[in-house]
Amino acid sequence: MLYSINDVKNLFLEFFVQNQHKQIKNSSIVPENDESLLFINAGMTPIKKVFTGEQIPESNRMCNIQTCIRTNDIDSIGDMHHLSSFCMLGSWSIGDYFKEGAINFAYDFLINKLKLPKEKIYVTIFSGDSERKLPADTESEELWQKAGMPKNHILLRPFSDNFWRMGDGESPCGPCTEVFFDTENKSIKSYEESGFFDDKQRYIEIWNAGVFMQYLQHEDGSYTRLKTNSVDTGAGIERMTMVLNGLKNVYETQAYASIIQLLKNNSTSNKENSYRIISDHIRTSVYIINAGVEASNLKRGYVLRRLLRRAMRHLRAIGVEDEFLKTVVESTIDNLNECGLNPNWLFSKQQIVQKVLIEQEKFSKLLVSGLKTFNEFIASEQNIENGKLNSKLVFKLYDTFGFPFEITKELAEENNLSVDEAEFNVLLENHKELSKGKTGKVYKSGLADTSEQSVKLHTATHLLHYALKKVLGNHINQKGSNITSDRLRFDFNFERKMTEEEVRQVEELVNQVIEKEIPVVKEEMNLEDAKNSGAIGLFDNRYGDKVTVYTIGTYSKELCAGPHVNNTKELVKFKITKEESSSAGVRRIRAILQ
Ligand code: SER
């Protein structure tokens, strides 16, 4: 291997330190005094206040390496380059150099310092967004060309890809420029100017080489200029090491290779995907445990529990004994030390192993009986409808056997069955409500409260569902929903990214219904009548004999526990703020009311 992880780390830090960047301390993966975020997910999050001027930076030029946790891509783990934890090489200019400096540094580092072949490098820039009144980043396009990047290796991408912000709320933000590397995966067509750019299996992102922080995004979705322009960059060291060594995936790098080998040597069935999931999940679990988090059913603790339990399930799938988990954890800790990717150890190796074993003790018997129960469930035809496992049984596996949803989902998929996440979430929410002892109305999935704004957003969700079916096809169905008084989040089945035009059409359809001032009508009826009336929704006898159906003119008819507004005019104006991937085959829309 040409480059160790440490080599790459040193090359990066040396380069930026030589260019007058101060190396700053990294932070724990659990954010300090910030409950808005479960885990640090980018190098800039611990220093986010320096971009808005609320905090004075240690220096105007900084760099470091920061462990990050991102579990939103959990379904992609096992592919070439997605990981639930990675170490981010980050560099920042706070009110110092801007686009030209950042692009010149990026070019110099990639081409002159790392000597990556120029013909394999592609860069993306922001194409602009007329509705949000954000101009295209033509300046960066010119600067890349000036630095030496050929025009046909520069791609324009929309807001959803190349405009970076921390979320939907108030956030420093701006257009970004990302660097992709051609893995030359021959099964995927190579990019031709203005054609399709496969950023999943052929061209992989190796560096967000510049988020040009020049705006402040406000809660209402508007943007104002920040007083100072800043640059935020981030690159995953595992991917950088992969491409520098000409490897096919991140698991072949020093960060994982020895653990994959250990699993291979000890397993009785050759399952590469399981090796990858185990090595990824145990590494992330070690990071999370070392940050002081205990496995539980809540927030950070539940992330840890899901990772550990899924890893245990895959260890069983490759046929190793329970005792072997201890060896995997110990080797992972040794490997982190060897690679120089270790956190500041707050616990000893023995203590971390002990914490994993406590969770194993809780789960191993349940895992055996849960797997047996799962097999019994799928052996009976009455539990399966159109290839889908009954959601109550999925919930039973969660509730009685401690199976996180994704374990059952994977098991189902291995048996060519599907599971319904939205239905599972409804059952989970209902269960939480009941265990809180509430006797009042049980709200449909994801309505966090019944504030006026949340109720309006809930009605907007029904209109969005209607508009998506109209624009993308009748096969679109809700897969999940989460509403707070600030915004709605809606998940639905769809295989690809929506085009900007589709997003615009959906927004327009919703606004048309709002403008038509249509009354929202609530009716109680029995389940059969509701079905026959053409209402959509989760038909499940949890609603009892009588169900509630909400109708909005000829546009929407949904089985739903409410609550809703009386007339669509109360929504005033609907705006989609983001369309993104939620998991494989599921897209996510975030929207607000203005
Ligand atoms: N914050 C940016 C990102 O996460 C650059 O690191 O992509």
Side-chain angles (χ1 to χ4, degrees):
M1 205 172 283
L2 289 168
Y3 296 91
S4 68
I5 294 273
N6 252 323
D7 291 339
V8 181
K9 185 161 134 183
N10 292 336
L11 281 165
F12 180 86
L13 292 175
E14 258 168 41
F15 178 85
F16 280 96
V17 169
Q18 272 167 11
N19 285 295
Q20 288 77 48
H21 291 68
K22 181 174 182 206
Q23 187 182 339
I24 58 167
K25 247 177 51 244
N26 53 14
S27 307
S28 162
I29 50 155
V30 172
E32 264 175 50
N33 307 321
D34 186 359
E35 282 306 309
S36 69
L37 196 65
L38 284 183
F39 294 107
I40 293 296
N41 58 5
M44 62 78 74
T45 36
I47 55 163
K48 62 185 181 186
K49 289 192 173 148
V50 304
F51 296 97
T52 49
E54 290 166 85
Q55 200 180 315
I56 299 170
E58 277 183 52
S59 162
N60 287 343
R61 294 183 179 202
M62 300 179 284
C63 61
N64 80 358
I65 167 157
Q66 170 67 47
T67 308
C68 299
I69 309 274
R70 288 190 187 176
T71 47
N72 47 343
D73 286 331
I74 201 157
D75 278 340
S76 306
I77 288 157
D79 72 358
M80 285 157 80
H81 59 291
H82 282 95
L83 296 167
S84 61
S85 57
F86 63 98
C87 291
M88 190 184 266
L89 305 161
S91 66
W92 302 280
S93 154
I94 314 297
D96 195 81
Y97 60 83
F98 198 42
K99 295 182 182 177
E100 183 166 15
I103 288 173
N104 286 342
F105 280 142
Y107 188 89
D108 194 21
F109 182 64
L110 293 166
I111 310 297
N112 301 327
K113 182 98 175 170
L114 300 185
K115 305 209 180 312
L116 284 170
K118 200 159 84 179
E119 62 278 9
K120 292 197 186 181
I121 303 280
Y122 289 76
V123 297
T124 61
I125 56 154
F126 179 48
S127 61
D129 189 301
S130 53
E131 281 202 20
R132 294 183 174 90
K133 302 190 180 63
L134 295 167
D137 189 7
T138 46
E139 195 187 340
S140 291
E141 188 176 17
E142 283 160 22
L143 289 165
W144 274 115
Q145 283 194 62
K146 209 168 123 197
M149 192 59 66
K151 191 167 186 304
N152 61 355
H153 280 224
I154 305 174
L155 287 88
L156 271 74
R157 302 220 296 183
F159 183 87
S160 48
D161 292 313
N162 275 62
F163 192 88
W164 201 90
R165 66 239 171 90
M166 272 160 34
D168 288 333
E170 191 170 284
S171 158
C173 58
C176 65
T177 182
E178 296 177 336
V179 178
F180 285 76
F181 188 81
D182 184 1
T183 63
E184 295 189 320
N185 176 353
K186 296 281 182 253
S187 63
I188 312 281
K189 222 167 105 328
S190 59
Y191 169 74
E192 278 163 26
E193 210 170 334
S194 308
F196 177 62
F197 185 71
D198 182 297
D199 61 6
K200 300 271 176 306
Q201 296 184 66
R202 173 142 187 172
Y203 303 94
I204 65 156
E205 187 197 333
I206 54 168
W207 195 3
N208 193 344
V211 178
F212 300 125
M213 300 280 193
Q214 56 190 112
Y215 302 107
L216 185 66
Q217 172 184 268
H218 298 276
E219 296 279 349
D220 65 1
S222 64
Y223 300 89
T224 48
R225 288 298 290 242
L226 284 168
K227 281 200 191 76
T228 45
N229 288 337
S230 299
V231 178
D232 157 45
T233 82
I237 199 167
E238 300 79 0
R239 289 189 193 176
M240 201 60 106
T241 309
M242 162 189 163
V243 301
L244 272 168
N245 288 307
L247 300 172
K248 286 198 227 40
N249 60 69
V250 282
Y251 298 95
E252 291 180 355
T253 66
Q254 188 199 6
Y256 295 93
S258 63
I259 310 297
I260 299 276
Q261 195 56 47
L262 174 78
L263 294 166
K264 226 176 236 178
N265 292 348
N266 287 278
S267 69
T268 51
S269 57
N270 188 17
K271 291 187 174 158
E272 182 67 27
N273 193 47
S274 292
Y275 305 150
R276 292 180 181 186
I277 289 172
I278 297 163
S279 61
D280 171 272
H281 285 17
I282 295 297
R283 169 170 125 156
T284 306
S285 299
V286 167
Y287 281 137
I288 297 179
I289 291 172
N290 186 61
V293 176
E294 308 259 341
S296 73
N297 280 340
L298 284 175
K299 296 184 170 181
R300 297 182 180 116
Y302 194 54
V303 174
L304 175 60
R305 172 159 285 170
R306 281 161 59 200
L307 291 165
L308 282 174
R309 292 189 174 190
R310 189 161 177 234
M312 289 180 217
R313 195 305 266 179
H314 280 277
L315 279 164
R316 185 159 288 268
I318 63 168
V320 296
E321 297 293 323
D322 279 0
E323 290 68 39
F324 191 63
L325 177 60
K326 180 170 180 278
T327 312
V328 181
V329 179
E330 287 172 344
S331 305
T332 300
I333 295 172
D334 293 344
N335 185 250
L336 288 175
N337 286 329
E338 274 158 34
C339 294
L341 292 178
N342 54 296
N344 300 325
W345 293 116
L346 299 181
F347 294 98
S348 66
K349 191 199 271 189
Q350 210 187 353
Q351 284 171 320
I352 294 178
V353 168
Q354 205 47 43
K355 285 172 193 287
V356 172
L357 297 187
I358 291 173
E359 183 63 8
Q360 185 183 36
E361 169 86 29
K362 285 192 183 134
F363 188 55
S364 67
K365 282 206 188 76
L366 288 173
L367 176 58
V368 178
S369 42
L371 288 171
K372 190 164 161 271
T373 306
F374 172 84
N375 288 328
E376 283 162 12
F377 284 164
I378 64 166
S380 165
E381 269 176 28
Q382 68 187 37
N383 294 334
I384 294 159
E385 199 183 328
N386 295 329
K388 189 184 89 182
L389 180 61
N390 183 314
S391 294
K392 281 192 199 146
L393 302 180
V394 180
F395 185 74
K396 188 167 175 159
L397 287 164
Y398 163 83
D399 194 36
T400 313
F401 299 96
F403 276 29
F405 176 77
E406 54 267 18
I407 291 191
T408 309
K409 183 175 173 212
E410 272 181 350
L411 288 167
E413 281 167 2
E414 284 166 18
N415 288 280
N416 298 319
L417 295 172
S418 63
V419 283
D420 191 319
E421 189 163 10
E423 285 184 6
F424 171 80
N425 284 336
V426 169
L427 296 173
L428 185 62
E429 289 305 316
N430 291 354
H431 174 77
K432 282 186 191 157
E433 291 291 325
L434 290 174
S435 49
K436 271 194 242 156
K438 287 196 180 166
T439 49
K441 194 175 277 175
V442 174
Y443 301 115
K444 195 170 156 62
S445 62
L447 195 64
D449 57 56
T450 51
S451 67
E452 206 179 302
Q453 197 59 16
S454 293
V455 173
K456 286 181 190 170
L457 283 162
H458 186 199
T459 306
T461 302
H462 283 218
L463 295 182
L464 173 62
H465 200 174
Y466 140 76
L468 285 168
K469 279 180 181 285
K470 193 101 184 147
V471 175
L472 303 178
N474 218 20
H475 63 290
I476 300 295
N477 281 310
Q478 173 173 345
K479 289 286 166 199
S481 163
N482 174 289
I483 297 165
T484 69
S485 53
D486 297 325
R487 54 104 186 104
L488 68 83
R489 208 180 71 194
F490 186 80
D491 291 356
F492 57 100
N493 58 308
F494 194 50
E495 284 305 324
R496 61 164 171 83
K497 188 165 186 55
M498 287 172 69
T499 64
E500 280 185 58
E501 179 55 20
E502 285 165 345
V503 171
R504 199 193 57 74
Q505 283 176 3
V506 167
E507 222 172 56
E508 198 172 294
L509 277 174
V510 173
N511 281 318
Q512 279 169 5
V513 183
I514 294 175
E515 280 158 25
K516 283 189 184 138
E517 305 193 351
I518 314 267
V520 180
V521 179
K522 176 181 173 183
E523 286 168 283
E524 283 212 337
M525 52 180 90
N526 67 42
L527 193 65
E528 269 316 298
D529 289 345
K531 276 187 190 171
N532 295 337
S533 77
I536 57 171
L538 305 172
F539 289 94
D540 184 311
N541 58 15
R542 75 197 159 87
Y543 287 109
D545 285 344
K546 287 273 178 211
V547 296
T548 321
V549 172
Y550 281 87
T551 308
I552 309 175
T554 52
Y555 306 99
S556 160
K557 197 183 251 307
E558 279 200 42
L559 190 71
C560 173
H564 284 281
V565 299
N566 293 322
N567 190 298
T568 61
K569 70 179 174 197
E570 294 172 47
L571 312 187
V572 188
K573 188 156 171 61
F574 170 82
K575 187 161 182 58
I576 293 177
T577 53
K578 192 164 194 175
E579 192 274 340
E580 61 189 341
S581 161
S582 164
S583 59
V586 179
R587 305 293 304 175
R588 170 168 289 178
I589 279 184
R590 292 170 190 269
I592 54 171
L593 292 171
Q594 291 178 314

